[in-house]
Amino acid sequence: KNQVEQSPQSLIILEGKNCTLQCNYTVSPFSNLRWYKQDTGRGPVSLTIMTFSENTKSNGRYTATLDADTKQSSLHITASQLSDSASYICVVTSFSGGYNKLIFGAGTRLAVHP
Amino acid sequence: ETGVTQSPTHLIKTRGQQVTLRCSSQSGHNTVSWYQQALGQGPQFIFQYYREEENGRGNFPPRFSGLQFPNYSSELNVNALELDDSALYLCASSLVGAAINYGYTFGSGTRLTVV
């Protein structure tokens, strides 16, 4: 069964600190892995996207890593800001049956406190 | 370039009723997919439309149906609403045929409450 699991479920950090979110997946076939940021009641916004051949991808203070062998990914947030408070969702794309299917993790809810 | 627009933003319906949610695709995109997101959960894939036809479907019953129009906008219809249908419904548009790393643009969603 295609699954994407994220940890921790929730996280509280102080402003200015770094944090790392984890994503493990069992999806086949694998096309790419994306990290999204979702503010409460809003649609997800893309942060990074990586294919199996990419090990790391940065977008400002966000750095994603991918280990296609162990099927693990991480999202590292540097020098956190209050506006980073949101859910971070790991999404794996699988191409099968003639179309791309997005398999979402449940997300990590990050709260950044002053 | 316009993003993805969903309407309405919030909706309250009674169990057993029918509902239609609407989505306007991002300019240049030709594919629309719909997702159901329960509170505190990740989105679950409902179905996808390409060239006005459903070309992929998740584990949702037939009372969830959709349409895609020639301008690539889309509708999600849910019949015989149940309390468990209460969720945030997200629409995402994308471009099929581009390089593999094409992006999905999500709308802000419609919050449906079934009472």
Side-chain angles (χ1 to χ4, degrees):
Chain A
K1 180 181 178 182
N2 288 331
Q3 281 187 316
V4 177
E5 297 182 350
Q6 294 187 242
S7 62
Q9 189 176 47
S10 61
L11 184 62
I12 299 174
I13 62 174
L14 294 177
E15 186 179 11
K17 298 297 185 182
N18 305 334
C19 66
T20 300
L21 314 179
Q22 301 292 339
C23 172
N24 297 336
Y25 62 91
T26 54
V27 176
S28 181
F30 172 91
S31 291
N32 53 62
L33 185 146
R34 309 160 189 259
W35 282 93
Y36 282 88
K37 177 185 178 185
Q38 185 177 25
D39 293 313
T40 302
R42 308 288 294 182
V45 175
S46 181
L47 295 175
T48 63
I49 177 171
M50 291 182 291
T51 63
F52 74 95
S53 61
E54 296 177 290
N55 300 121
T56 185
K57 183 74 71 78
S58 290
N59 178 5
R61 296 181 296 104
Y62 302 103
T63 299
T65 65
L66 174 64
D67 185 333
D69 292 330
T70 62
K71 299 186 178 181
Q72 296 179 324
S73 176
S74 67
L75 180 68
H76 186 75
I77 304 175
T78 303
S80 61
Q81 300 176 357
L82 299 179
S83 59
D84 292 333
S85 296
S87 285
Y88 291 84
I89 305 177
C90 174
V91 185
V92 178
T93 304
S94 179
F95 185 83
S96 65
Y99 71 99
N100 275 299
K101 182 178 179 180
L102 301 183
I103 298 115
F104 290 77
T108 292
R109 283 170 290 286
L110 174 66
V112 180
H113 289 181
Chain B
E1 174 177 282
T2 59
V4 174
T5 304
Q6 292 188 242
S7 63
T9 55
H10 296 84
L11 198 56
I12 299 175
K13 287 286 189 178
T14 304
R15 188 172 50 184
Q17 283 188 312
Q18 178 267 342
V19 69
T20 297
L21 311 182
R22 295 179 174 82
C23 172
S24 296
S25 303
Q26 177 170 310
S27 176
H29 286 183
N30 57 12
T31 301
V32 173
S33 49
W34 286 90
Y35 303 85
Q36 181 194 67
Q37 186 175 22
L39 199 61
Q41 301 295 316
Q44 298 293 316
F45 174 68
I46 303 175
F47 46 55
Q48 175 173 289
Y49 277 81
Y50 171 65
R51 290 184 175 177
E52 302 178 48
E53 290 189 1
E54 183 183 298
N55 74 335
R57 190 177 184 93
N59 190 26
F60 280 81
R63 60 188 185 85
F64 285 78
S65 63
L67 287 172
Q68 186 182 32
F69 301 99
N71 66 355
Y72 305 121
S73 65
S74 176
E75 286 183 354
L76 164 65
N77 300 291
V78 187
N79 294 323
L81 284 167
E82 301 176 358
L83 297 180
D84 286 348
D85 294 335
S86 296
L88 180 69
Y89 287 86
L90 294 167
C91 163
S93 72
S94 58
L95 176 60
V96 171
I100 189 173
N101 290 337
Y102 61 84
Y104 287 79
T105 302
F106 283 84
S108 294
T110 293
R111 171 69 64 187
L112 173 65
T113 303
V114 182
V115 297

